[in-house]
Each structure stands twice: as structure tokens, then as C-alpha cells.
Amino acid sequence: MLPINYNLFAGTVRYHHASGCQSLDADAPPVDPDSVVVLGSAGKFITAVAALQLVDRGLINLDDPVAPILPELARIPVIVASDSAGATPEASGADLGAPTFILRPPRSQITLRQLLTHSAGVPAQDDPHPLLQAWRNSPEATASRPPADAPVIVRMFSEPLVFDPGCGWRYGACIHWLTLLVARLSGAPRFVDAIRTNVFEPLGMQSSTYDITTRSDLSARLMQMVNRTAASDGNQGVLEPADDLPLGLVTSVSDLTKILSDLVSPTPRLLSLASADIFAAPAFAPSSDALRDLQNSPEDYPAYAGISKSPLPLTAPRPPVNFSPGGLVVDFSGVPEAGDDARLPKSGIPHGAVTWDGMANVVWAARRGTTGHPGMATIFATQVLPVHDPVTVDITSKFMHDAWNTYCPKPGAD
């Protein structure tokens, strides 16, 4: 099973290629642009779009506290090491040699902008932070468990904040809390209803759903997810059916082109021009704690930035990235003499583009139009595990590099 590649300018597909089959079955049909894929984290930007629509409607501002809409989130404390807060060694979490911690109120309120940019302190459900691991085994964790009738987002993602809002960056469950905010503030019965009404239907995205069990027509076009087994002899390994995994948002590649095309359009339909710019604009100031944490966390975005997944040595140059509501922003503004046409070394994704990927190696990158460059987006879709599978990364990076340099060349390039 091989990928579907797409390259598009605002409203015009300039290149597409599909190869491989829908599944590993011998009689599987070939993939095509209407094949359906699980987006995983590559689809989180759609939640950001829905949140920015609320800003456009005047229902909330980017720097408004979200406490009135998400009071459950506002009540969550910050976890800190006891020695950093002046607590005694007898503080919580001291059993079995675990790090000691205390819980205290956040020093500021979480804002919509912070949720959109993973700078609110909200951890992931399985975050390996040592203080969270100690907290999970403590009486405090049991005592603070949300009631059984609380919304599922509240029950799943109510662990302590790992830093005060706005004082860092950590890829976690911010987007999950945003789904609850979108549902409550939009007036829709459920988050998925808000997305269908305000995103899918306006763009004619008829092959997109958060519940494929209700869409037999899409199930028939769903690409099989496969896992590449490791090979010790230097070969590519073997593709095998993957275990059943939660699906979440599924969409056809054709539908994905519709929303990315709209986001890079000079006249977007889903967002105002101001919000479309905010979607892709770097959010963190050069000297901010959030940018420092982001640039020191390459394990969350190594493949397409062309950097190592291992933590960077202190003396290594920081990767030229920032973050926006849409995802990772390629940002060379802090690199002397890089220029506005600088590109990531491996993928060729240019300065000003926003990008993200998902578990099964679905990758997209988009740049709104600038002087001399029309808006452009690229998509690479496959369903191969594990995330950042080296073989798939090499293929993806080659496609991205060639697409951006062919259809959005540097000035003066042949």
C-alpha cells in the first residue's frame, strides 16, 4: 500500500498521484483521491478552524479566559515539584521514592489562544512527566476524579497542568478541551454537529465524518491501516495489518484538499481574512518560554523538520520553527541571513508554511499567499504505522521537497 500525493494552489490542483491498493488483500482495489483515510492528529487543525469561527462570530476573543465556557478546566491546579515551591519532603508523592509534588492554583487563567497553541499547560492523557506519574499513584488523583456523569472530555483530561498558562509549550490535550468549548459556545448539540454544519457542509466535504460506523459508503473506501515490522537486515520490513485502533476523524483526500485550499485562498469561506492569517501566524515571541519549550521538543515534529528525534544538545542550533493555531510554523525569522524563502532542509517546506502530521503518517503543509507567491498546500496520505516510519518519512520528504521547489520555487531558481 503506497500513498496518495497532492499539491494544490488555492482552488487549483496542480499535481496528484495515487499508487497502491486499498488493503493488503490480493484483490483489493487501487487507491484514488476518493479513498478515505484516518487523519489522527493531522486533523486537529479542523478543531482550530471551528474555534476561530467562534472568534469571527464575536462569541469569544483570542485572549479571553475560557473559564466561563470551561469551568471544569479552570478548576484544575498546577503541579510543581515540592522543592521548587518550598514544601517539605513529606509532601504528596513521597512514597516509594517518587518525586514529591504539591498542587497549587494557576497564576493566570487559560485563554483561547493558549489552548489553540498548546501553551496552556494541559498535558496529554499518557504524558510521561515524572510529577504526573507520581500524582497518578497518589491519593490526590483518586480524590480529584471527576464525577461519572461529567462530559467524557472532563473525565479523560483533568490531570494537573504541568506549567502555568502561557509559561511553556507541551503537546497535549488542549485540542480535546477545545472540542468541548466549540460544542458549548456554538450551540450545537455535539462538537461533531458543529463541525458538520460549519466546516464540512459549507465546503461540500461529503466524505468526512467523526463516526464512520454511521457511513457504510465511507467504510467501503477506507484504506486499511498497516504496520511495518522492523527489519534488521537493512530492508524495508514487512507490512502487516495493524491492530484495531480508534478511528476518530476520517476523510477522503479530495475533501482534505477542499479545506486546505480554502485556508490558503485569498478569499476564504470558513474564516475571515484576519482569522485565516492567525491560523498560520507564529504565536510565540522570540524570548518566550513557550518558544523555548517548542524548540527544545523535537521529538514531537522531527521527520519533516529534517532534525533528529533525540533531544538537541544545548549547543545545537534551535530548529527554525514556531507554533500557530494551525500547527507547526516554519519560521526562519530568527536565523540571520536566512531570508523569506528559506526552507526546511529535508522536506523543503518554506518559511511561513504551517504543517502537522498524524499517527498513520498523513502529512499536510500549507502557506497562505505572499507577495510573489500564491497560496499553496501539499498533502501526503498513507495509512502506515508506526508514526514517523523511516521509509514513509523518506518518501514523504522527497514528495514535499520536490512539490514545494517545483510549484513554489525560490526566486531565481531554474
Side-chain angles (χ1 to χ4, degrees):
M1 236 175 5
L2 284 175
I4 303 167
N5 307 328
Y6 252 84
N7 178 76
L8 59 128
F9 284 88
T12 303
V13 174
R14 299 294 298 271
Y15 170 88
H16 71 86
H17 173 78
S19 61
C21 298
Q22 290 278 132
S23 73
L24 298 177
D25 295 340
D27 59 349
V31 296
D32 61 41
D34 291 322
S35 294
V36 173
V37 297
V38 178
L39 288 184
S41 293
K44 288 180 177 178
F45 77 95
I46 293 177
T47 302
V49 169
L52 290 172
Q53 288 179 324
L54 300 175
V55 175
D56 284 342
R57 291 166 60 186
L59 298 176
I60 189 171
N61 294 316
L62 281 170
D63 295 310
D64 283 351
V66 298
I69 306 104
L70 299 174
E72 305 95 336
L73 178 60
R75 290 192 289 266
I76 294 177
V78 178
I79 191 168
V80 296
S82 58
D83 56 357
S84 70
T88 67
E90 290 75 29
S92 299
D95 294 342
L96 302 178
T100 57
F101 65 85
I102 65 167
L103 302 173
R104 61 163 176 78
R107 290 174 176 154
S108 60
Q109 296 189 69
I110 294 174
T111 67
L112 176 59
R113 189 189 302 271
Q114 291 161 355
L115 282 181
L116 283 165
T117 57
H118 294 280
S119 57
V122 178
Q125 187 179 26
D126 56 352
D127 195 303
H129 194 294
L131 292 180
L132 287 179
Q133 292 178 334
W135 174 85
R136 291 170 187 138
N137 295 317
S138 72
E140 284 89 341
T142 302
S144 63
R145 185 174 298 139
D149 61 350
V152 64
I153 295 299
V154 176
R155 285 185 277 119
M156 292 180 65
F157 302 107
S158 288
E159 294 191 332
L161 308 182
V162 294
F163 52 77
D164 284 298
C167 294
W169 183 89
R170 198 169 184 93
Y171 188 55
C174 286
I175 290 292
H176 298 84
W177 282 100
L178 276 174
T179 65
L180 188 57
L181 180 144
V182 167
R184 289 176 173 175
L185 204 51
S186 69
R190 302 173 301 162
F191 166 75
V192 295
D193 299 313
I195 297 297
R196 183 179 62 251
T197 300
N198 299 318
V199 178
F200 295 162
E201 290 180 356
L203 296 182
M205 295 173 62
Q206 299 180 1
S207 296
S208 302
T209 182
Y210 284 87
D211 186 5
I212 198 170
T213 63
T214 65
R215 295 287 304 272
S216 59
D217 58 323
L218 300 187
S219 296
R221 292 188 270 135
L222 181 66
M223 289 176 64
Q224 181 184 30
M225 198 171 293
V226 300
N227 187 68
R228 190 188 308 278
T229 60
S232 59
D233 57 0
N235 292 322
Q236 292 187 355
V238 177
L239 296 180
E240 297 178 345
D243 295 334
D244 290 338
L245 297 168
L247 297 184
L249 175 59
V250 301
T251 187
S252 69
V253 178
S254 295
D255 272 9
L256 190 55
T257 66
K258 293 177 181 178
I259 186 168
L260 289 177
S261 181
D262 186 66
L263 290 171
V264 302
S265 169
T267 55
R269 297 175 59 189
L270 295 182
L271 297 175
S272 66
L273 278 174
S275 288
D277 288 340
I278 289 169
F279 174 86
F284 302 147
S287 59
S288 65
D289 292 334
L291 184 60
R292 176 206 62 207
D293 285 355
L294 172 69
Q295 293 181 335
N296 288 337
S297 303
E299 65 273 12
D300 289 311
Y301 52 86
Y304 311 105
I307 60 177
S308 169
K309 188 173 183 178
S310 303
L312 296 174
L314 293 177
T315 56
R318 301 298 93 180
V321 296
N322 205 303
F323 212 80
S324 76
L328 188 75
V329 180
V330 180
D331 183 13
F332 283 88
S333 59
V335 180
E337 301 179 2
D340 290 342
D341 285 293
R343 318 240 164 163
L344 293 180
K346 187 169 184 178
S347 63
I349 300 174
H351 173 79
V354 58
T355 181
W356 204 244
D357 65 343
M359 178 181 63
N361 292 295
V362 177
V363 186
W364 59 268
R367 186 169 76 166
R368 290 188 49 72
T370 60
T371 302
H373 290 300
M376 176 174 153
T378 51
I379 302 166
F380 181 96
T382 190
Q383 298 285 266
V384 176
L385 301 174
V387 63
H388 299 155
D389 164 57
V391 176
T392 307
V393 167
D394 286 345
I395 298 171
T396 309
S397 297
K398 181 67 164 62
F399 161 68
M400 290 283 181
H401 184 277
D402 290 354
W404 284 100
N405 282 287
T406 299
Y407 296 101
C408 188
K410 294 182 179 181
D414 292 335

